[in-house]
Amino acid sequence: MEQHLEVERKYDVDAVVAVPDLSGLPGVARVVPTERLDQLATYVDTADLSLLGARVTLRRRVGGVDDGWHLKLPAGEARTELHHPIADPGDADEPVPAPLRDRVRAIVGDRRLMVSAQLRTLRAVNRLLDVDGRVLAELCDDRVEARTGPGSVERWREWELELVDGPPELLDLAEPVLRAAGARPSASASKLARALAGRLGPDATTAAVLRAYLTAHLQRLQAEDGRLRSGDQEGVHQMRIAARRMRSALASYAPVLEDHADRELREELRWLGEVLAPARDAQVIRQRLLDQVGAQPDVLVLGPVSRRIDDELGAALRAGRTSAVEELDGERYHRLLGRLESLVGDVPARETGRRRAAEMLPRLLRRDLRRVRRRHRAYLGTAGAEERDRALHEVRKAAKRLRYAAESATPVLGDRAATLSAAAKAVQDVLGEHQDTVVARRVLRDLALHADAEGENGFTFGRLHALEERRAAELAARYPQTYDDLPTARGLRSWLRG
């Protein structure tokens, strides 16, 4: 049985980010890409994930350069990794080798070890070499697909920078380069920890489901905070989404929480969303309008249209981001983080919150679905254009709450909850773009007035306004189709059962 010390740093990264060149780091002479690997790792643990709780992972991996059984044990900030060969590569159900089982017996006792997750990793490896060709470290670009149960599939991309024969300070030197390229320190200690973060057993309580969902998005909020402060505008968007998901979940689960336990937190999360909104809204509308101008024939673009859009909305974006960072440095934000951490540590649940989630979640989802349907009926009763726009925006917000509630329920209710979440998202997407047209028309009117005040031709702004009106009409016509894909509130329970 082989053993070595694993020292690495992990980073989350978006799908389209390019791997940076690390050949300029001290001591690194060149970076050499090697073979691409398709690895399949099967992790085992007890039913209550006792190994994961002890920061221990036990897996059987094939498709790489080190096929075999791997046991990783904590060793301070690093981990000791033990390797044991596979007895039969063709036997996916091969039992855990006795020597490895013995090393974890103090944790698992005589409990049965079973498959807890299966991760497929498409890995591209880049080796950092010194002048003598010695491998100092490896930067692994991993695209991961994790399966933790029926209908439970998650995909993400991450980078791992692992030392081989290089000095520990190489990790510190590489970090600014990786972060400048778009990487952010991983919120999870391992791929397995990320895959199992939201996994819940069949007897999980409703409060446990809420706790898992809030924990995941609080971690995301904290990770994206650093991204925003580094100057990456996408951090604003992702922080706002994390805050929305938590606020929405607190609203959906309100019936199982103690009286008023959620209300103040929801208002504080709303405040955080409002802090982040100006920068994000300016970014979205700026890009939308610049794309539209770029799609127009040159003869229909009269005056410095793109420059005005870029100048005014670019200034709004920068001002919004500066204001957001100032608020994030303030006491109110840090008090909110502290309260969220306290909440996920001890969710204040009523008796209904301590019931099995499989029993309570359909009731909560039905409540949110009815909210969507009430707002849809209100929309059908509207008359003027502005009133219809406002009503569709209210439907969108209700559909978003239903989407997130169904998303939180998926670890317990499975594929049907995921399908409900997707149906609600379709409504949200159509009406989200519709709301973008509402905002864009308001901005275009202001831009036209500013252009006119400075003696510029406002024709193109009027044309773009008309195009936005036409797009709004198209989206309003598409909306009934997506709405009709939602199940009825009365039949939701049987629909969830499939």
Side-chain angles (χ1 to χ4, degrees):
M1 186 162 57
E2 298 177 4
Q3 174 176 325
H4 82 275
L5 190 67
E6 178 185 75
V7 183
E8 65 180 17
R9 290 190 186 173
K10 296 169 63 62
Y11 300 87
D12 294 331
V13 64
D14 294 334
V16 297
V17 172
V19 175
D21 182 5
L22 298 179
S23 61
L25 295 177
V28 179
R30 57 198 175 101
V31 177
V32 178
T34 64
E35 72 277 15
R36 293 179 177 268
L37 305 173
D38 185 350
Q39 302 174 323
L40 183 65
T42 301
Y43 290 81
V44 296
D45 205 334
T46 57
D48 61 352
L49 304 179
S50 59
L51 290 179
L52 183 66
R55 293 180 57 219
V56 172
T57 57
L58 178 55
R59 73 185 178 202
R60 180 184 188 274
R61 188 166 74 182
V62 296
V65 296
D66 58 351
D67 289 1
W69 285 93
H70 303 159
L71 173 63
K72 296 187 179 184
L73 304 166
E77 294 186 1
R79 293 205 290 176
T80 298
E81 183 171 341
L82 307 178
H83 289 191
H84 194 281
I86 294 173
D88 181 358
D91 182 7
D93 298 320
E94 177 186 351
V96 177
L100 298 185
R101 174 80 195 221
D102 289 343
R103 291 296 295 264
V104 298
R105 189 170 298 279
I107 300 171
V108 305
D110 293 326
R111 286 174 289 175
R112 186 166 72 92
L113 290 172
M114 61 187 72
V115 174
S116 62
Q118 190 173 71
L119 274 62
R120 182 185 182 194
T121 302
L122 300 179
R123 167 168 286 189
V125 182
N126 296 278
R127 288 182 177 153
L128 282 61
L129 309 180
D130 65 9
V131 291
D132 297 321
R134 186 171 55 121
V135 180
L136 302 176
E138 290 184 341
L139 177 62
C140 300
D141 181 9
D142 292 345
R143 296 176 188 269
V144 186
E145 178 181 273
R147 298 179 181 272
T148 56
S152 178
V153 180
E154 185 182 3
R155 297 177 178 86
W156 70 89
R157 183 184 178 201
E158 67 181 41
W159 290 341
E160 288 184 2
L161 182 61
E162 181 176 358
L163 288 181
V164 181
D165 291 324
E169 55 266 25
L170 183 60
L171 299 180
D172 294 327
L173 294 169
E175 179 149 327
V177 181
L178 297 175
R179 294 188 70 152
R184 49 201 184 275
S186 177
S188 300
S190 66
K191 291 180 176 66
L192 179 65
R194 174 167 179 167
L196 295 177
R199 202 190 83 166
L200 298 157
D203 294 325
T205 65
T206 310
V209 173
L210 176 59
R211 181 184 298 111
Y213 192 74
L214 292 175
T215 298
H217 294 293
L218 175 57
Q219 289 175 344
R220 174 54 59 202
L221 181 76
Q222 292 166 327
E224 297 298 338
D225 175 295
R227 189 178 183 187
L228 182 154
R229 293 173 191 274
S230 73
D232 187 340
Q233 184 63 24
E234 185 63 16
V236 176
H237 179 46
Q238 296 300 329
M239 275 193 77
R240 193 178 178 196
I241 289 175
R244 281 175 170 174
R245 278 182 156 95
M246 287 189 284
R247 179 164 64 90
S248 182
L250 289 171
S252 293
Y253 285 77
V256 304
L257 297 174
E258 291 180 358
D259 290 343
H260 311 302
D262 61 305
R263 292 185 183 178
E264 186 177 348
L265 265 180
R266 282 161 57 188
E267 287 306 310
E268 289 301 285
L269 286 165
R270 184 192 303 277
W271 163 80
L272 179 57
E274 291 169 351
V275 163
L276 300 168
R280 176 59 181 171
D281 291 348
Q283 178 191 27
V284 170
I285 296 303
R286 172 178 170 272
Q287 193 59 54
R288 182 183 182 90
L289 297 184
L290 288 175
D291 289 346
Q292 285 195 4
V293 174
Q296 303 306 304
D298 290 345
V299 296
L300 298 181
V301 180
L302 306 183
V305 177
S306 292
R307 188 182 69 195
R308 178 165 292 280
I309 292 170
D310 195 35
D311 286 350
E312 294 200 19
L313 293 177
L317 189 159
R318 291 187 294 274
R321 187 184 174 284
T322 298
S323 176
V325 171
E326 289 175 356
E327 292 289 354
L328 297 186
D329 285 333
E331 182 182 342
R332 185 174 183 178
Y333 172 64
H334 290 285
R335 188 167 59 244
L336 169 60
L337 290 180
R339 293 191 61 196
L340 287 169
E341 288 170 354
S342 297
L343 178 69
V344 300
D346 183 18
V347 174
R350 297 180 180 180
E351 185 277 329
T352 50
R354 295 189 290 275
R355 293 182 191 172
R356 290 178 66 246
E359 172 194 347
M360 290 301 301
L361 289 175
R363 302 183 191 182
L364 300 180
L365 293 175
R366 186 164 61 246
R367 176 174 174 264
D368 282 344
L369 180 55
R370 284 174 173 159
R371 188 167 177 266
V372 176
R373 293 201 172 275
R374 283 196 304 273
R375 294 193 177 187
H376 174 72
R377 289 194 295 272
Y379 159 70
L380 294 178
T382 56
E386 288 188 13
E387 188 182 358
R388 284 196 296 272
D389 288 346
R390 286 194 296 271
L392 286 176
H393 187 42
E394 291 302 311
V395 176
R396 170 182 172 257
K397 290 190 289 185
K400 180 167 57 179
R401 180 185 294 186
L402 175 62
R403 171 197 170 186
Y404 293 154
E407 178 182 83
S408 75
T410 298
V412 173
L413 300 183
D415 287 349
R416 297 301 284 177
T419 301
L420 176 61
S421 181
K425 181 180 184 297
V427 174
Q428 177 193 339
D429 287 348
V430 168
L431 297 186
E433 189 183 351
H434 184 276
Q435 179 63 16
D436 286 346
T437 71
V438 174
V439 176
R441 281 176 274 162
R442 190 182 307 136
V443 170
L444 284 166
R445 181 180 181 278
D446 290 343
L447 289 168
L449 290 173
H450 298 165
D452 182 68
E454 296 189 20
E456 298 169 10
N457 193 316
F459 168 82
T460 304
F461 294 111
R463 175 177 171 80
L464 296 180
H465 191 284
L467 291 174
E468 290 287 0
E469 283 185 321
R470 186 176 72 184
R471 181 59 178 160
E474 292 170 352
L475 291 162
R478 275 178 50 196
Y479 160 62
Q481 274 182 288
T482 58
Y483 175 81
D484 287 343
D485 288 337
L486 294 172
T488 64
R490 184 184 298 274
L492 179 62
R493 184 176 289 275
S494 59
W495 187 88
L496 286 171
R497 289 172 182 160

